[in-house]
Amino acid sequence: MSQQKDSPVSGLAGQRNDSSFEDVYDELVWRGLVHVSTDQGELKELLAGPPITFYCGFDPTAASLHLGNLVQLLTMRRLQLAGHRPLGLVGGSTGLVGDPRPTAERTMNTKETVSEWVGYLQGQVQKFLDFEGDNAARMVNNLDWTGPMSVIDFLRDVGKYFRVGTMIKKETVAKRLNSEEGISYSEFSYQILQGMDYLQLFRDYDCVLQTGGSDQWGNLTSGTELVRKVEGTSVHAIGTPLITNSDGTKFGKSEGNAVWLDAAMTTPYAMFQFWLNTSDADVAERLRIFTFRSRAEIEDLERATVERPHQRAAQRALAYDVTSLVHGVEATEKVIAASSALFGQGDLETLDLDSLRSATAELDAVRAEPGALGIVDLLVASGLSASNSAARRTVAEGGAYVNNHKITDADHTVGEDQLLHGRYLLLRRGKRNLAVVEVG
């Protein structure tokens, strides 16, 4: 598990909200980040006024956050850039219960696992916020206030404000109640726990805004309602849209797997390629949501997509910006160098081991024993050629490469001195067909 806690970006000072907007609420709306909210007029006025404290919660249901969570992290960052004070909540208690899913009960993780994941997620959240200055961010853990609370206190002081009739109307709860499996009391109570978070943060920090995904709207409003009932004060919530691709498929999936923010779970190279493969129909929306480029810059890239789609300028900008936000500029530059080198536009020998492994992680791989490594055998073993005769034909036609060096002799044998970092070979057939060989 990678635990890089230093920020991969050059701090918040190098970024700002788009000056073409009167206030941050207008910018959030233009970027498509307000799908549902409490009173829009009050929110706009609130965010245009003196600094407020707001929060967003992240549950440790996995060892890393993913691209869906990145929407919330960057929304928090935009609000902080506008002068507001963020609270990053990682749910040590809510993570022990689990937010109800629409389909089936969650598997509960052990307390030890959840505690470990809390640490991982706190490190990831911290990378996107500034913890210095007048509007410094703070990290909080809801286990700090729920852990010491007795069941009787929970029922008397919090539970009495919730009405079962209202709770069962929440979308996810309603779906589960109508399913064969139903819903456990534990998951049914989740919205009470999240509502209690808002009340606690309102009391401790004067927190008056919560952000989250629109699929969490029932949980968000459980907090606003609890604060209203207990404290007699109106507080606010913003639900960001659930992002889908223009073809209706689920966003944030790569080859069936989630795209994680942890480099050990999704490499910087894989993340860069994910964004680079964004369709023309989706790229403008992604630029608005996931980058800090100005309105004018994004509109220029939109025009470039229409007029010169083959250049993929918008996709390259998107991939560079988001990978840099998540993994840092240096890692992104290494990804670009590695990508160029894979296809013969750079020197593979100059790539460090981590960059090489990251760049080849998605390729077909084959192991080979040390010794004489014939080019024909390598092409066949790697699957780049279907047979010895096809491999020989590839060599004769000038389409066989080892570490970007063209091989013109079908009897060529690769020596140990040609292995990258003493153990790897990159094979290429033609311009785009690649495989990696690990020797040893």
Side-chain angles (χ1 to χ4, degrees):
M1 198 65 225
S2 115
Q3 288 200 71
Q4 180 186 358
K5 293 197 175 182
D6 55 315
S7 175
V9 290
S10 57
L12 298 182
Q15 298 176 16
R16 59 180 175 78
N17 284 326
D18 192 341
S19 60
S20 64
F21 297 95
E22 289 186 12
D23 56 52
V24 67
Y25 185 78
D26 287 340
E27 183 179 357
L28 294 179
V29 170
W30 178 78
R31 290 183 180 274
L33 288 168
V34 182
H35 179 76
V36 62
S37 73
T38 48
D39 187 273
Q40 293 188 19
E42 291 182 9
L43 257 178
K44 183 177 172 65
E45 184 178 351
L46 183 72
L47 292 175
I52 63 163
T53 299
F54 68 96
Y55 93 98
C56 184
F58 304 89
D59 276 350
T61 54
S64 173
L65 299 173
H66 51 74
L67 289 190
N69 303 125
L70 186 59
V71 177
Q72 305 310 321
L73 291 169
L74 297 183
T75 301
M76 294 179 74
R77 190 174 181 127
R78 294 183 202 283
L79 290 168
Q80 187 177 26
L81 286 166
H84 302 298
R85 297 181 293 267
L87 297 171
L89 185 151
V90 177
S93 64
T94 43
L96 289 168
V97 175
D99 181 23
R101 294 185 300 181
T103 52
E105 194 86 4
R106 288 184 183 273
T107 300
M108 288 191 179
N109 297 299
T110 66
K111 291 182 178 180
E112 293 75 19
T113 296
V114 171
S115 177
E116 183 179 10
W117 288 352
V118 165
Y120 293 154
L121 268 59
Q122 285 175 336
Q124 290 182 330
V125 173
Q126 288 168 4
K127 288 161 56 174
F128 292 88
L129 303 174
D130 190 351
F131 288 80
E132 298 178 354
D134 294 336
N135 63 332
R138 295 184 180 93
M139 294 298 300
V140 292
N141 182 345
N142 54 22
L143 190 61
D144 292 342
W145 53 83
T146 56
M149 179 178 283
S150 72
V151 174
I152 295 299
D153 289 340
F154 176 72
L155 293 174
R156 285 176 58 86
D157 298 340
V158 183
K160 68 178 181 180
Y161 292 102
F162 286 80
R163 295 294 174 263
V164 173
T166 302
M167 293 174 70
I168 63 176
K169 292 177 182 177
K170 307 292 186 183
E171 183 178 358
T172 301
V173 173
K175 287 182 179 179
R176 287 284 295 279
L177 284 172
N178 292 325
S179 69
E180 291 186 8
E181 185 170 343
I183 188 170
S184 70
Y185 179 74
S186 297
E187 288 196 355
F188 182 65
S189 302
Y190 181 92
Q191 58 186 286
I192 302 179
L193 287 173
Q194 186 163 332
M196 189 171 67
D197 289 344
Y198 206 161
L199 177 62
Q200 188 72 36
L201 296 176
F202 174 79
R203 288 171 169 172
D204 291 349
Y205 301 100
D206 194 26
C207 177
V208 293
L209 172 64
Q210 180 184 185
T211 64
S214 58
D215 59 333
Q216 294 286 307
W217 187 244
N219 293 328
L220 270 62
T221 55
S222 71
T224 60
E225 283 299 297
L226 181 61
V227 174
R228 182 185 63 79
K229 290 176 180 178
V230 176
E231 301 291 343
T233 300
S234 293
V235 292
H236 293 278
I238 292 175
T240 60
L242 295 183
I243 302 171
T244 57
N245 297 321
S246 58
D247 61 4
T249 57
K250 190 170 183 178
F251 167 76
K253 298 288 184 179
S254 177
E255 302 299 324
N257 299 312
V259 179
W260 303 98
L261 303 191
D262 189 284
M265 297 171 68
T266 298
T267 66
Y269 184 88
M271 175 166 282
F272 188 92
Q273 292 300 317
F274 172 84
W275 294 106
L276 196 60
N277 290 329
T278 302
S279 71
D280 289 349
D282 292 322
V283 70
E285 178 197 53
R286 303 291 190 263
L287 283 165
R288 287 194 292 272
I289 291 174
F290 290 100
T291 78
F292 288 84
R293 290 182 182 254
S294 69
R295 187 172 190 166
E297 289 176 302
I298 292 172
E299 289 174 348
D300 284 345
L301 288 168
E302 284 186 86
R303 284 191 290 271
T305 299
V306 173
E307 297 169 2
R308 302 178 299 279
H310 61 283
Q311 294 182 356
R312 300 186 67 77
Q315 284 88 346
R316 293 181 187 281
L318 177 65
Y320 185 91
D321 284 11
V322 183
T323 309
S324 296
L325 280 166
V326 176
H327 296 297
V329 172
E330 182 179 354
T332 304
E333 296 289 355
K334 286 183 177 181
V335 164
I336 293 171
S339 182
S340 296
L342 284 189
F343 297 101
Q345 299 172 352
D347 188 354
L348 282 168
E349 284 80 2
T350 65
L351 297 182
D352 61 67
L353 182 57
D354 286 342
S355 297
L356 178 67
R357 284 175 171 168
S358 178
T360 58
E362 309 298 315
L363 300 180
D364 290 336
V366 63
R367 295 185 67 90
E369 295 297 323
L373 301 169
I375 182 61
V376 169
D377 291 338
L378 288 172
L379 288 170
V380 174
S382 66
L384 291 178
S385 294
S387 63
N388 286 356
S389 58
R392 288 181 174 277
R393 187 162 56 251
T394 294
V395 174
E397 292 172 351
Y401 297 82
V402 175
N403 298 342
N404 288 336
H405 299 295
K406 183 183 290 189
I407 305 301
T408 57
D409 181 1
D411 295 321
H412 177 83
T413 299
V414 178
E416 289 186 10
D417 59 330
Q418 292 178 267
L419 299 180
L420 301 170
H421 296 283
R423 63 186 306 181
Y424 297 103
L425 290 172
L426 181 74
L427 303 180
R428 176 158 54 91
R429 178 174 60 83
K431 292 182 178 181
R432 308 294 299 179
N433 300 295
L434 297 167
V436 63
V437 179
E438 184 176 356
V439 179

